[in-house]
Each structure stands twice: as structure tokens, then as C-alpha cells.
Amino acid sequence: MNLSFKQLQAFREVMRTGSISEAARALNRTQPAVSSLITTLEAELGIDLFERNRGRLIKKPEAQFFLEETEAILERLNHCTKTMKEIADLKEGRLRIACMPASSQFMMPRLVADFVRDKPQVKVSLMMRASAIIEEWIASQQFDIGLAETPAPSGAIKTETFELACICALRSDDPLAEKSIITPKDLSGRPLATLQEDHPNLLATQAAFKSAGAQFNARFELRNFQPALKLVEEGLCYCICDPMTASSYYEYQLQEQALCFRPFAPEVHLSVAILQPAHRPASELSSAFIDILRADLLAINQQFQT
Amino acid sequence: MNLSFKQLQAFREVMRTGSISEAARALNRTQPAVSSLITTLEAELGIDLFERNRGRLIKKPEAQFFLEETEAILERLNHCTKTMKEIADLKEGRLRIACMPASSQFMMPRLVADFVRDKPQVKVSLMMRASAIIEEWIASQQFDIGLAETPAPSGAIKTETFELACICALRSDDPLAEKSIITPKDLSGRPLATLQEDHPNLLATQAAFKSAGAQFNARFELRNFQPALKLVEEGLCYCICDPMTASSYYEYQLQEQALCFRPFAPEVHLSVAILQPAHRPASELSSAFIDILRADLLAINQQFQT
DNA sequence: CATATCCATAAGATAAATCTATGGTTCGAT
DNA sequence: ATCGAACCATAGATTTATCTTATGGATATG
């Protein structure tokens, strides 16, 4: 089987125009070139497609059948290359994203919306889960991109870590809002909403308080910072939360913002990471999305550091 | 769009084996050859299909998609060439045959049956009609092959004429059966079954009688010779009929043949023809069938000339 | 640390496609 | 009839594409 697309294209053109010379003109080739293409095509198929009668070509019934196949193949090929071009231009494709709760409500939807605005053919799966689940999904290649708390190193996951500087959430009418930077001393003994148990972020916060000689009063222990802001709004506590959660607050609480955020010193981090399946290259689409995701994470991390 | 099947085959093999070197071995090419095929393929698609990581190839998700398309195209092409081979070997195709009554009952079915015995994929339409209808069907290209009485010359029909020597049908117990050749003199004044009105065959028969000085007694006028044999069996008449009709008699009247046939002199012909649409080449299948049809007509024409 | 395997590249060799030139045939119009 | 314009096929020259050999760099394996 040594056919070529050129032969098929030449054959199609000959069938359309009814003559080799005409087809040659349409294809910007010389007549002998097309003649040869047809001859070798017939030889490879083992059957004559045209009858050479009195110096002219006459289509044989077999040619009609072969034309249908030819059209189908060329059409498919054409469509396929077009699709690949679309994929190359990021106009088409599939993107499966799994993200942690802090980013799921506003940040990630906003990024996805911006990203796909000019890509009507791109399909997106966007799932919110706890970081541990996201790890599994990425490791098992069920998702292309994950945003989660930094997992333990694993051969199955490629990570790009971001140390998000946590900031202090407090009521705008709180006296502490006067300060441009909040320290453990400021919050000494005051009720806090924190992450639970042995979360690295909690440990780091406790360490900051301890080394500053401040009293650490964890009143609310939560799985993540999202619900904490309501508690702060109610005046029940303070919260040293990650900037993604803080940023979300501005995105949904557009008017009458009861809360404000202040940098916290010393820096306490929440370590998050962009996750990708290892041993499998990212699609062009993934890479492009990760670019804007990275940029947004860096921007959010800066947003509250004045 | 300048892709080639070679590139697709190479790509498929690389996807299967996971490496260029392996694929090259499978394809009986050198590794650089395959490498180049893949490179140019990527260039023409405008997108990388593999990631070159630490000296190895890693499939990108885009490659997976493209593979599906590639498989489909190659599969279709493969199937198509196979079918063309079948067609070339006359193992596949379509044959539309229209035949006149004299040949429809035994001769043509027998020929078709012989022809398609080893061609299970060949589809046949076999229709019996009066010669005038067959002409129309062939001229309008509704049928590929016609067997009919020779029509008036027409630009739309290609004809191959056979002058069938008519023979005399008579009862085996008739005294005339003793003779090896029947002449108009033998039948002078005796009742005949003939074709009707101004049919050339009737006119020719009448002329033979006249020039022999014999009396022509047309007792039964029929549209064709088939029913005549029954009348001869009943002893009601003689019939100078065409050899196809006579041959049919042997094919269905296997035992107790009440009739016999004798050559008639001078020769009186029934002119029949194989018809094909003009300005359209025959399929390989048509040509092949016409070959055996021609042979059979010649054989039948000899059969009664002892 | 040596060895084997992988891929890419370059240069030369081979094969394929294309073009130019030509001749034969048919058809239509002088 | 004869001429000219189409048509197609073939042959030889030329360009283009493809393959191979040779080589070097990178990475795994034992």
C-alpha cells in the first residue's frame, strides 16, 4: 500500500473536470505529472479507473465508487488537519481542572471564564475538592491541572509551589484596622479562627505567636478559611487567612465591605501548588492555562502586601 | 496541506511502539528517516505531538487525539484499496442485466449462476422484458447489459450483433424428423407458428419459402417463439424458431422429449444483440460477463447445425 | 564508570516527482 | 480534405524529496 494523497487529490480533480489537462491546470501541475499520478494510482489499485478511448478519458464505473471513498478520505483528512490547527491555536481542546475550596468560588471560575472567552470550542471540567482528593485525581491522570495545598512529594505528580503570605482579616471598625501591619502582639489573647489540628499553617501561626511572646487563642478550628470570614464579620474572632480566600471576599462582597485585610508579620505561609500529572506532557491548552493561573497566584499574593 | 500517508503510518507506529527507533525497525526504515517524518508532520500540523524529554519521546495529549484520526484514515484507506482489489478480481461489484424472453428462462439464469458462483459479493439484477423496453433501459443507462433483438442503430447504445440461424422444431415422431435438414419445400403448405406482422424474421422466412416456390402457411402468429413449441408438441404446427428458444426446450424438458430440431436451409436468421450503454465504459465485471455471454450465444448457434 | 539506547542533525546517496519536449490521435472548422 | 487545437502518453533531464550513513549529545542501566 503505497498510495499518496497527491494521487487521490489528482484523481478527484480529474473526476471533477473530466480531463487530465484540465485537472493539471487546476492543480498547478503539468499534464504529464497528473497523467503519471493517475497511471501509478491505477497500477497500485490494480484496476483501471478510466478507459482511454480515442485520446480521451472516460470514467469507468469503478472510478465512481473509488471517488466516493477518495472524497471521504480527503474530507476526513482535511477536517482533521483543521482541527489540529485549532488545537494549536488553543481554540479547541479539553481542560480538566480540580481546585481546592479557597479558589473554587471566585478565583478559578474567573480565570476559566477569561480563558475560554475567545475559545468557544474548548471544553472545561472544573471540580472542587479537598486537596487530598485533588492529589489523587492528578496522580491518576483523571485531571490535567490541580490547585491544592502542596502535597507530599510524589513521583506521580509534578508540582509548582507558591508560598502564599497569609494576612489578617478583621472588621473595618476594629481599632486594629488603623494599623498597616498586624503582628502577633496585636492579636495576643484575642480569639482566632484557624485551621485544624496539625495543619502546617496552624503550626506556623502558633510558632509566630510563640516566638513573639504573644498568647495564641484558637477559638474556631476549621477545615479551611472560607467560613472564617463570616465569623470575623460577626466580631467573634480574627483570622490569619490565605490571600485567595481574602481575595474572594472582595469578589462577592462588592458593596458594604465589613471586613478589611492587613499584612501579617512575621510572614506565615499557606503553601499551595499547581499540580500536573508527571510523566505526561501538558497539552498546549494546559500550559497556557497554567501560565495565567501562575500569574494570578503571584498577583493575589502581592495584592495585600502594601 | 502536504501530508503523506507515510507520515501517518510512521506516526501510528511511533505511537504504538512509543519510540522512534522501535518504529523505524518495524517499518524497515532507519531511525533518522522516521525522525524526519515525525518532525515534518509536526511542522505541517503546526503543533508538536511529542515532547522531547531527556532524549526520549513523550506523547502529548494532542497526539492521542490525532492518533484516532490517523487510525480512522488509514483504516478507511486500507479497506478501500482492499475493496478495489476485490473489484479488480471481479469478486465484488454490481451487474444489471436485462434480457429478452427467449433467454430469460434458462439461458441467462444459467450464465448468471455460473458467473457468480465464486463471487459471493457480486450483486445482480436480472430483468426480463420485451426487446423494445430493453433498448430504453440500456440507452438510459439503467442497465449495464442487455440481450435483445437487434435494435435500430442508436448513438446511445453499443451493440454486438449475432445472427442466430433459426431451426425447425417438429415432433420426433414426424416423418420429416428423418431428414437431417429441413427446407421450405418440406414444409410447403404445412401450418407454421411464426412471429407476428412485419417482424424481420417472419419476412425472411416468407422470402425463403417464396424463392423456393413453397407455400407459406402461417397458422399461429406469436410475439415470440416460446409458446410455439407447445403448439408443435400438440402436432398443430411446425416452427422455424431461434436456437435460444430451442435450447431452452432441452433445459426444461429433460425427459421424454417429444420434439426434435433440425437445421433449416436456406438459413433464416433471428438477429439478436448484446447491448451496452454507449459513451460509458463497461465495468470489469460487465466485460467479463459479456465474454461468457458471447461465447454461449456462439455455442448455441452451433448447437443445432450438424 | 562503562555501555547501551535514545533522539537529532548533517551530508551524501538514492529514489521520486516534476518539467520540457515530443509524437500520436481525435475533433471541429475552415 | 486539410489544418489547427485539444487531448493523452512517453521519454529524458532536472529538480525535489526521501532515505541512509555517520556522528554527537543526553540518559538510563548494570
Side-chain angles (χ1 to χ4, degrees), chain B residues 273-286:
Chain B
I274 298 174
L275 311 185
Q276 291 179 262
H279 315 309
R280 171 209 279 190
S283 67
E284 300 289 332
L285 209 56
S286 283

PDB file of all heavy atoms in Angstrom, chain B residues 273-286:
ATOM      1  N   ALA B 273     -28.739  -9.060 -30.242  1.00  0.00           N
ATOM      2  CA  ALA B 273     -27.539  -8.268 -29.956  1.00  0.00           C
ATOM      3  C   ALA B 273     -27.326  -8.141 -28.456  1.00  0.00           C
ATOM      4  O   ALA B 273     -28.282  -8.113 -27.676  1.00  0.00           O
ATOM      5  CB  ALA B 273     -27.645  -6.884 -30.579  1.00  0.00           C
ATOM      6  N   ILE B 274     -26.064  -8.079 -28.107  1.00  0.00           N
ATOM      7  CA  ILE B 274     -25.698  -7.689 -26.741  1.00  0.00           C
ATOM      8  C   ILE B 274     -25.647  -6.164 -26.724  1.00  0.00           C
ATOM      9  O   ILE B 274     -24.953  -5.558 -27.544  1.00  0.00           O
ATOM     10  CB  ILE B 274     -24.334  -8.255 -26.336  1.00  0.00           C
ATOM     11  CG1 ILE B 274     -24.369  -9.779 -26.340  1.00  0.00           C
ATOM     12  CG2 ILE B 274     -23.932  -7.733 -24.954  1.00  0.00           C
ATOM     13  CD1 ILE B 274     -23.006 -10.423 -26.087  1.00  0.00           C
ATOM     14  N   LEU B 275     -26.393  -5.556 -25.814  1.00  0.00           N
ATOM     15  CA  LEU B 275     -26.484  -4.089 -25.763  1.00  0.00           C
ATOM     16  C   LEU B 275     -25.733  -3.555 -24.545  1.00  0.00           C
ATOM     17  O   LEU B 275     -25.788  -4.143 -23.461  1.00  0.00           O
ATOM     18  CB  LEU B 275     -27.946  -3.654 -25.665  1.00  0.00           C
ATOM     19  CG  LEU B 275     -28.924  -4.276 -26.656  1.00  0.00           C
ATOM     20  CD1 LEU B 275     -30.299  -3.636 -26.490  1.00  0.00           C
ATOM     21  CD2 LEU B 275     -28.427  -4.122 -28.073  1.00  0.00           C
ATOM     22  N   GLN B 276     -25.048  -2.444 -24.763  1.00  0.00           N
ATOM     23  CA  GLN B 276     -24.421  -1.737 -23.653  1.00  0.00           C
ATOM     24  C   GLN B 276     -24.651  -0.247 -23.823  1.00  0.00           C
ATOM     25  O   GLN B 276     -24.789   0.230 -24.947  1.00  0.00           O
ATOM     26  CB  GLN B 276     -22.905  -1.980 -23.642  1.00  0.00           C
ATOM     27  CG  GLN B 276     -22.491  -3.377 -23.292  1.00  0.00           C
ATOM     28  CD  GLN B 276     -20.970  -3.475 -23.343  1.00  0.00           C
ATOM     29  OE1 GLN B 276     -20.405  -3.920 -24.325  1.00  0.00           O
ATOM     30  NE2 GLN B 276     -20.323  -3.024 -22.276  1.00  0.00           N
ATOM     31  N   PRO B 277     -24.690   0.476 -22.748  1.00  0.00           N
ATOM     32  CA  PRO B 277     -24.782   1.929 -22.874  1.00  0.00           C
ATOM     33  C   PRO B 277     -23.558   2.448 -23.617  1.00  0.00           C
ATOM     34  O   PRO B 277     -22.434   2.039 -23.322  1.00  0.00           O
ATOM     35  CB  PRO B 277     -24.787   2.436 -21.425  1.00  0.00           C
ATOM     36  CG  PRO B 277     -25.153   1.257 -20.598  1.00  0.00           C
ATOM     37  CD  PRO B 277     -24.650   0.069 -21.339  1.00  0.00           C
ATOM     38  N   ALA B 278     -23.770   3.319 -24.558  1.00  0.00           N
ATOM     39  CA  ALA B 278     -22.634   3.920 -25.261  1.00  0.00           C
ATOM     40  C   ALA B 278     -22.042   5.022 -24.387  1.00  0.00           C
ATOM     41  O   ALA B 278     -22.619   5.415 -23.375  1.00  0.00           O
ATOM     42  CB  ALA B 278     -23.082   4.485 -26.589  1.00  0.00           C
ATOM     43  N   HIS B 279     -20.895   5.509 -24.765  1.00  0.00           N
ATOM     44  CA  HIS B 279     -20.258   6.626 -24.058  1.00  0.00           C
ATOM     45  C   HIS B 279     -20.048   6.319 -22.588  1.00  0.00           C
ATOM     46  O   HIS B 279     -19.947   7.226 -21.781  1.00  0.00           O
ATOM     47  CB  HIS B 279     -21.097   7.909 -24.175  1.00  0.00           C
ATOM     48  CG  HIS B 279     -21.581   8.157 -25.553  1.00  0.00           C
ATOM     49  ND1 HIS B 279     -20.754   8.138 -26.651  1.00  0.00           N
ATOM     50  CD2 HIS B 279     -22.827   8.417 -26.028  1.00  0.00           C
ATOM     51  CE1 HIS B 279     -21.463   8.384 -27.736  1.00  0.00           C
ATOM     52  NE2 HIS B 279     -22.726   8.553 -27.392  1.00  0.00           N
ATOM     53  N   ARG B 280     -20.021   5.090 -22.244  1.00  0.00           N
ATOM     54  CA  ARG B 280     -19.695   4.752 -20.860  1.00  0.00           C
ATOM     55  C   ARG B 280     -19.018   3.389 -20.881  1.00  0.00           C
ATOM     56  O   ARG B 280     -19.608   2.409 -21.323  1.00  0.00           O
ATOM     57  CB  ARG B 280     -20.943   4.672 -19.992  1.00  0.00           C
ATOM     58  CG  ARG B 280     -20.584   4.112 -18.634  1.00  0.00           C
ATOM     59  CD  ARG B 280     -21.662   3.384 -17.969  1.00  0.00           C
ATOM     60  NE  ARG B 280     -22.603   4.263 -17.307  1.00  0.00           N
ATOM     61  CZ  ARG B 280     -23.537   3.810 -16.479  1.00  0.00           C
ATOM     62  NH1 ARG B 280     -23.627   2.525 -16.227  1.00  0.00           N
ATOM     63  NH2 ARG B 280     -24.392   4.631 -15.926  1.00  0.00           N
ATOM     64  N   PRO B 281     -17.798   3.367 -20.410  1.00  0.00           N
ATOM     65  CA  PRO B 281     -17.074   2.095 -20.462  1.00  0.00           C
ATOM     66  C   PRO B 281     -17.739   1.073 -19.559  1.00  0.00           C
ATOM     67  O   PRO B 281     -18.358   1.425 -18.552  1.00  0.00           O
ATOM     68  CB  PRO B 281     -15.684   2.440 -19.924  1.00  0.00           C
ATOM     69  CG  PRO B 281     -15.654   3.905 -19.742  1.00  0.00           C
ATOM     70  CD  PRO B 281     -17.047   4.408 -19.723  1.00  0.00           C
ATOM     71  N   ALA B 282     -17.587  -0.166 -19.946  1.00  0.00           N
ATOM     72  CA  ALA B 282     -18.136  -1.236 -19.119  1.00  0.00           C
ATOM     73  C   ALA B 282     -17.263  -1.424 -17.897  1.00  0.00           C
ATOM     74  O   ALA B 282     -16.069  -1.149 -17.922  1.00  0.00           O
ATOM     75  CB  ALA B 282     -18.187  -2.520 -19.925  1.00  0.00           C
ATOM     76  N   SER B 283     -17.877  -1.858 -16.823  1.00  0.00           N
ATOM     77  CA  SER B 283     -17.086  -2.262 -15.671  1.00  0.00           C
ATOM     78  C   SER B 283     -16.356  -3.549 -16.037  1.00  0.00           C
ATOM     79  O   SER B 283     -16.716  -4.251 -16.993  1.00  0.00           O
ATOM     80  CB  SER B 283     -17.990  -2.492 -14.464  1.00  0.00           C
ATOM     81  OG  SER B 283     -18.814  -3.610 -14.689  1.00  0.00           O
ATOM     82  N   GLU B 284     -15.345  -3.840 -15.253  1.00  0.00           N
ATOM     83  CA  GLU B 284     -14.621  -5.087 -15.475  1.00  0.00           C
ATOM     84  C   GLU B 284     -15.591  -6.264 -15.429  1.00  0.00           C
ATOM     85  O   GLU B 284     -15.506  -7.207 -16.206  1.00  0.00           O
ATOM     86  CB  GLU B 284     -13.560  -5.264 -14.387  1.00  0.00           C
ATOM     87  CG  GLU B 284     -12.521  -4.168 -14.323  1.00  0.00           C
ATOM     88  CD  GLU B 284     -11.554  -4.208 -15.500  1.00  0.00           C
ATOM     89  OE1 GLU B 284     -11.344  -5.318 -16.024  1.00  0.00           O
ATOM     90  OE2 GLU B 284     -11.060  -3.145 -15.906  1.00  0.00           O
ATOM     91  N   LEU B 285     -16.517  -6.149 -14.484  1.00  0.00           N
ATOM     92  CA  LEU B 285     -17.474  -7.220 -14.293  1.00  0.00           C
ATOM     93  C   LEU B 285     -18.344  -7.395 -15.543  1.00  0.00           C
ATOM     94  O   LEU B 285     -18.559  -8.508 -16.024  1.00  0.00           O
ATOM     95  CB  LEU B 285     -18.331  -6.874 -13.076  1.00  0.00           C
ATOM     96  CG  LEU B 285     -18.907  -7.994 -12.254  1.00  0.00           C
ATOM     97  CD1 LEU B 285     -17.827  -8.925 -11.766  1.00  0.00           C
ATOM     98  CD2 LEU B 285     -19.683  -7.425 -11.077  1.00  0.00           C
ATOM     99  N   SER B 286     -18.832  -6.280 -16.063  1.00  0.00           N
ATOM    100  CA  SER B 286     -19.648  -6.338 -17.269  1.00  0.00           C
ATOM    101  C   SER B 286     -18.875  -7.007 -18.391  1.00  0.00           C
ATOM    102  O   SER B 286     -19.380  -7.929 -19.059  1.00  0.00           O
ATOM    103  CB  SER B 286     -20.042  -4.928 -17.726  1.00  0.00           C
ATOM    104  OG  SER B 286     -21.072  -4.419 -16.932  1.00  0.00           O
TER     105      SER B 286
END
